[in-house]
Amino acid sequence: MTTTAMAELTMTTTRLVALGDSVTEGLGDPLPGGGWRGYARLLADALGSREQVAFDNLANSGATCRDLATGQLPRALSLRPTLAAVLAGVNDTLRGDFSLPAIAHDLETVVGGLRRTGATVLTARLPDPGLMLGVPDLVRRPLTRRMRAINMILDGLAETYGTVHVDLAAHPALYERRMWSVDRLHPSVRGHHLLARLFAAELAARGFPVRAMPEEEPSGASATAWASARWMAVEGTGWVVRRARDFLPRLGTLVLSEAWHAVRGRTTVLDDRFQAELEPVLRRICLPPA
């Protein structure tokens, strides 16, 4: 090991490793020279100087819970983090092969694997993608059920493994239009700063030292609209096409079922059916039923 590397290791007191999808990757928060920053980098800077806090972002666009468990987790464990942020699940709600047992298994693999190394793990209840997208109720309700189920799994894992758990779903500011990019799935610059502030505040409440809270009104936030529009034009269209190919056929079936039950005033039947599917999943991962 070089002298410089040894000095850096000596000064570093915290290693934050971020696992997740495009939100954690930083999409919506562009850097002046290209690339993305995002809430996880902002959180690392809030915790200490770059000599004190080492940061590794393992997230990649489109990642599902399975991608975190099979691809990102082994890399994270090799880095021996003291603090790990785990934010995933939205992409799973937009998949045709949505499976609660598989999602629960993958999330427990990630959270449990990190906690068993002694790392402090950050988790979060996720906002409702149907509300963020502003879609009609017949489309929104199936997405809401999926997201609610994933959040209940995350709640149980947070209790079982003692994670630092942040309720993003209940924060009203996260549903404000200015907090999201043009595609309404990736936070804007303001949105990333809000996420970083919420995580930093929860860590501070747990006794973790926070050097400085991320700005509430970040400078340069007005550039987000152009950056987001450019991403949507260059890359976002391909993302939409891939999701359409995978998810829209299944979504069509879900919407037809939703409409059939709504006309007959039986929407609660679908809620009960989904709840019945969720409860054995929670029991299998040693969590109390909903």
Side-chain angles (χ1 to χ4, degrees):
M1 183 179 292
T2 66
T3 303
T4 302
M6 290 180 63
E8 181 182 347
L9 185 62
T10 301
M11 289 185 290
T12 298
T13 58
T14 301
R15 178 174 290 278
L16 169 60
V17 176
L19 300 83
D21 53 28
S22 54
V23 172
T24 302
E25 187 180 12
L27 267 69
D29 185 17
L31 291 168
W36 308 100
R37 180 177 51 181
Y39 83 88
R41 173 76 267 179
L42 293 167
L43 177 61
D45 291 340
L47 297 176
S49 68
R50 299 202 175 188
E51 289 75 27
Q52 296 170 319
V53 180
F55 174 67
D56 299 277
N57 195 337
L58 308 182
N60 55 278
S61 181
T64 62
C65 295
R66 174 58 50 87
D67 295 322
L68 267 68
T70 60
Q72 296 179 26
L73 177 63
R75 295 170 59 199
L77 295 177
S78 70
L79 293 168
R80 297 188 175 184
T82 53
L83 181 63
V86 177
L87 198 64
V90 172
N91 283 321
D92 294 86
T93 69
L94 303 175
R95 290 296 194 275
D97 59 351
F98 181 84
S99 168
L100 282 177
I103 291 169
H105 176 269
D106 292 333
L107 284 173
E108 186 177 29
T109 297
V110 174
V111 174
L114 290 165
R115 286 294 289 134
R116 280 188 285 272
T117 69
T120 297
V121 178
L122 279 164
T123 54
R125 305 186 81 249
L126 303 171
D128 185 337
L131 290 176
M132 292 188 295
L133 291 168
V135 294
D137 283 350
L138 288 178
V139 179
R140 179 185 60 80
R141 282 196 291 264
L143 296 176
T144 297
R145 286 191 196 95
R146 289 182 168 196
M147 193 73 264
R148 189 174 296 157
I150 291 175
N151 280 338
M152 293 179 75
I153 291 169
L154 288 164
D155 289 344
L157 290 172
E159 183 176 352
T160 298
Y161 289 101
T163 71
V164 178
H165 198 46
V166 180
D167 191 354
L168 302 179
H171 201 287
L174 273 174
Y175 294 98
E176 294 178 10
R177 184 67 190 88
R178 66 184 185 140
M179 295 297 175
W180 296 92
S181 301
V182 68
D183 61 6
R184 299 197 182 190
L185 282 174
H186 298 99
S188 62
V189 176
R190 282 190 181 90
H192 277 286
H193 275 72
L194 176 59
L195 291 178
R197 285 178 64 84
L198 293 174
F199 282 119
E202 190 63 30
L203 284 170
R206 301 288 190 96
F208 286 82
V210 176
R211 181 182 62 163
M213 293 293 288
E215 296 175 320
E216 190 169 352
E217 286 293 329
S219 59
S222 59
T224 304
W226 163 246
S228 297
R230 181 179 179 277
W231 178 86
M232 197 65 180
V234 176
E235 298 183 42
T237 302
W239 185 91
V240 170
V241 169
R242 289 192 296 274
R243 291 289 67 73
R245 187 182 303 123
D246 172 45
F247 180 52
L248 282 187
R250 176 58 180 157
L251 179 61
T253 302
L254 293 173
V255 170
L256 286 174
S257 176
E258 198 74 40
W260 190 91
H261 285 82
V263 166
R264 290 158 178 78
R266 300 181 56 189
T267 302
T268 55
V269 171
L270 295 176
D271 295 333
D272 294 342
R273 188 179 300 165
F274 210 83
Q275 189 71 21
E277 181 184 348
L278 174 63
E279 288 184 359
V281 171
L282 296 180
R283 286 195 294 269
R284 274 196 295 273
I285 57 174
C286 302
L287 302 178

